[in-house]
């Protein structure tokens, strides 16, 4: 195969097949050659080669793209597996926290008010089995009207409020005061409400008893005919509170006496010192101090005889926190 140049200057490709020519005496006389124009074939082969090379480049590029995509898919699959593993671990932690928590916990569907799940503590508190609870609605337990329950559910769902006080019905038909912390949670692609419930019935009873006790104390304090002073534990002591009789006996109004030391109620400094010298040893030894007759002074300067009793006030640890002074006009 040879490349020739035509007369017109164009390049051509030919196939030359030469054969030698010999005389009868075997001497070489020359040669004869058959020349075939193979330009079209060479051009086609060159085009085919170029196309093949271009195709190979494209195949290599596509292979590289596929390898890159494959690596991306492998990375995405690995990331998905990692996320799925974390989700499984997170769900396992959630299940463990939910099931083993000593606090009463419920999962509620905010759309239907269905109880989706209840932990063992909830079953113990309410008195229904887990199967029974999950077949009920929160409206079956909450004593509020259904419409109001859904209003509170909406507040919890929108996080406008997360702290509630309700009255819940138990399996034995008793009604219990409860404190509820509730908020939205996404579980298995569904938006639910989790509720942590604390039984505060005992606390409510205690608060009621304290209010009743306070009301009784205030009634006794206000209605007592003797002058009563509550003194703090500071040095010197100051008047924290006094009853109406104190104002009537000494001639001062309540505001004029609060926050002051008791000096202004004594006849003079000498009388005060004498009183204090007897007070502290007696209270330390017996827990109280009593004087059958002791001179004191009214706002207008009048000196009058009193019967005086002082009791020490202590906290639950036995620490002195103040005094109660009872003054009777005799």
């Amino acid at each position: 195969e040879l490349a020739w140049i035509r007369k017109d200057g164009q390049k051509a490709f030919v196939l030359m097949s030469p054969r030698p020519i010999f005389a009868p005496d075997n001497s070489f006389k020359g040669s004869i050659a058959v020349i075939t124009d193979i330009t079209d074939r060479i051009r086609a082969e060159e085009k085919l080669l170029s196309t093949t090379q271009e195709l190979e480049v494209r195949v290599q590029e596509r292979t590289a793209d596929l390898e890159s995509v494959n690596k991306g898919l492998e990375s995405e699959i690995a990331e998905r597996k990692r996320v799925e593993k974390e989700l499984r671990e997170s769900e396992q932690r959630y299940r463990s926290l939910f099931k083993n928590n000593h606090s009463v916990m419920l999962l509620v569907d905010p759309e239907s008010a269905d109880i989706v799940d209840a932990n063992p503590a909830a079953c113990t508190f309410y008195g229904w089995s887990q199967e029974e609870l999950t077949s009920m609605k929160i409206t079956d337990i909450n004593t509020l009207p259904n419409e109001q329950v859904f209003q509170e559910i909406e507040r919890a769902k929108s996080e406008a409020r997360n702290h509630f006080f309700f009255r819940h019905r138990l399996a034995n038909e008793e009604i219990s005061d409860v404190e509820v912390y509730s908020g939205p949670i996404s579980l298995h692609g569904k938006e639910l409400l989790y509720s942590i419930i604390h039984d505060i019935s005992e606390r409510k009873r205690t608060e009621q008893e304290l209010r009743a006790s306070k009301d009784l104390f205030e009634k006794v304090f206000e209605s007592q005919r003797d002058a009563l002073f509550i003194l703090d534990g500071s040095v010197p002591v100051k008047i924290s509170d006094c009853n109406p009789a104190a104002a009537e006996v000494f001639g001062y109004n309540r505001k004029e006496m609060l926050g002051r030391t008791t000096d202004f109620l004594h006849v003079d400094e000498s009388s005060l010192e004498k009183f204090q010298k007897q007070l502290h040893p007696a209270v330390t030894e017996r827990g109280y101090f009593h004087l059958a007759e002791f001179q004191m002074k009214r706002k207008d300067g009048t000196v009058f005889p009193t019967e005086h009793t002082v009791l020490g006030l202590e906290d639950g640890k036995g620490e002195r926190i103040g005094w109660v002074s009872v003054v009777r006009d005799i």
Side-chain angles (χ1 to χ4, degrees), residues 81-134:
K81 287 181 177 179
R82 184 188 67 79
V83 171
E84 288 174 351
K85 181 182 177 183
E86 290 180 354
L87 284 173
R88 282 195 302 272
E89 292 174 349
S90 177
E91 184 173 348
Q92 288 171 357
R93 286 195 298 271
Y94 154 73
R95 298 304 304 177
S96 177
L97 286 170
F98 186 79
K99 293 297 182 184
N100 299 324
N101 204 304
H102 294 299
S103 296
V104 176
M105 301 180 78
L106 296 176
L107 284 180
V108 178
D109 186 334
E111 303 301 325
S112 62
D114 289 335
I115 298 175
V116 177
D117 204 355
N119 70 345
C123 300
T124 301
F125 173 64
Y126 288 107
W128 284 292
S129 67
Q130 205 263 352
E131 184 179 354
E132 288 173 322
L133 275 173
T134 52

Side-chain angles (χ1 to χ4, degrees), residues 283-308:
V283 172
T284 302
E285 182 179 344
R286 300 191 303 270
Y288 71 94
F289 170 62
H290 178 74
L291 282 176
E293 185 174 343
F294 182 73
Q295 298 293 318
M296 299 195 80
K297 184 175 62 176
R298 305 185 202 274
K299 182 179 181 180
D300 62 7
T302 304
V303 175
F304 67 105
T306 68
E307 181 182 350
H308 206 124

Side-chain angles (χ1 to χ4, degrees), residues 247-274:
E248 183 179 343
V249 169
F250 286 93
Y252 295 92
N253 64 49
R254 184 171 177 270
K255 288 184 178 180
E256 288 177 315
M257 292 190 284
L258 295 186
R260 297 177 65 179
T261 64
T262 59
D263 300 11
F264 68 101
L265 302 177
H266 290 268
V267 175
D268 51 35
E269 189 173 341
S270 174
S271 176
L272 174 62
E273 289 179 358
K274 181 180 177 181

Side-chain angles (χ1 to χ4, degrees), residues 197-257:
I197 299 149
H198 299 294
D199 181 9
I200 59 170
S201 299
E202 186 62 32
R203 192 176 85 189
K204 283 282 187 181
R205 282 193 292 271
T206 301
E207 288 175 353
Q208 289 172 356
E209 290 172 359
L210 284 173
R211 281 196 296 270
S213 178
K214 182 183 177 184
D215 290 343
L216 179 60
F217 166 77
E218 287 179 350
K219 287 178 181 178
V220 172
F221 189 73
E222 296 291 329
S223 62
Q224 182 60 247
R225 296 181 64 184
D226 293 333
L228 296 179
F229 293 93
I230 306 297
L231 309 174
D232 64 19
S234 63
V235 179
V237 298
K238 294 181 178 63
I239 300 171
S240 299
D241 202 358
C242 61
N243 68 345
E248 183 179 343
V249 169
F250 286 93
Y252 295 92
N253 64 49
R254 184 171 177 270
K255 288 184 178 180
E256 288 177 315
M257 292 190 284

